[in-house]
């Protein structure tokens, strides 16, 4: 629950920044507790207006969820409960050092 509030707050703060070309990136914990579909989302970059497309295992196979940020409740419990992923916001012209 705390992570959801943190990610929601960061998303709203990022929307208010004066970024010329706002982008966001999904970052995962990358350890043995990370969901395999979140592991595969790590490093996914989209524009601020776009949603992350998260392909999630379900009883019927795989379901696509559209999430504005990590922890977005639109992803359902299988993407949100105990998730430790976070979203980084930046300007497309920023230099990102990895």
């Amino acid at each position: 629950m705390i992570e959801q509030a943190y990610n929601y707050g960061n998303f709203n703060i990022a929307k208010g920044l004066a970024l010329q070309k706002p982008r966001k990136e999904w970052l995962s914990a990358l350890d043995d507790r990370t969901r395999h579909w979140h592991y595969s989302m790590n490093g996914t970059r989209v524009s601020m207006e776009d949603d992350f497309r998260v392909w999630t295992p379900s009883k019927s196979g795989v379901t696509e969820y559209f999430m504005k940020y990590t922890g977005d409740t639109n992803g359902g419990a299988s993407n949100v409960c105990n998730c430790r992923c976070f979203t980084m916001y930046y300007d497309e012209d920023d230099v990102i050092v990895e």
Side-chain angles (χ1 to χ4, degrees):
M1 221 35 153
I2 292 172
E3 290 83 4
Q4 285 175 303
Y6 173 79
N7 289 322
Y8 173 78
N10 278 345
F11 176 70
N12 283 295
I13 289 169
K15 288 192 306 186
L17 297 176
L19 300 174
Q20 298 299 310
K21 299 176 192 171
R23 305 278 296 167
K24 57 189 175 186
E25 181 175 348
W26 184 296
L27 298 170
S28 303
L30 301 181
D31 61 20
D32 60 346
R33 292 177 28 212
T34 304
R35 296 165 174 91
H36 65 84
W37 60 96
H38 284 196
Y39 197 96
S40 67
M41 287 295 297
N42 187 63
T44 300
R45 297 174 179 173
V46 297
S47 72
M48 183 70 104
E49 299 82 30
D50 292 339
D51 292 337
F52 290 109
R53 297 174 60 192
V54 185
W55 295 94
T56 306
S58 65
K59 290 180 182 178
S60 60
V62 177
T63 302
E64 182 180 24
Y65 288 97
F66 297 91
M67 299 173 67
K68 297 223 172 281
Y69 50 88
T70 55
D72 181 359
T73 57
N74 288 328
S78 58
N79 281 305
V80 175
C81 293
N82 298 317
C83 178
R84 297 169 296 128
C85 299
F86 62 97
T87 309
M88 179 174 66
Y89 301 94
Y90 60 94
D91 193 284
E92 187 174 294
D93 295 330
D94 288 347
V95 174
I96 307 239
V97 178
E98 298 182 19

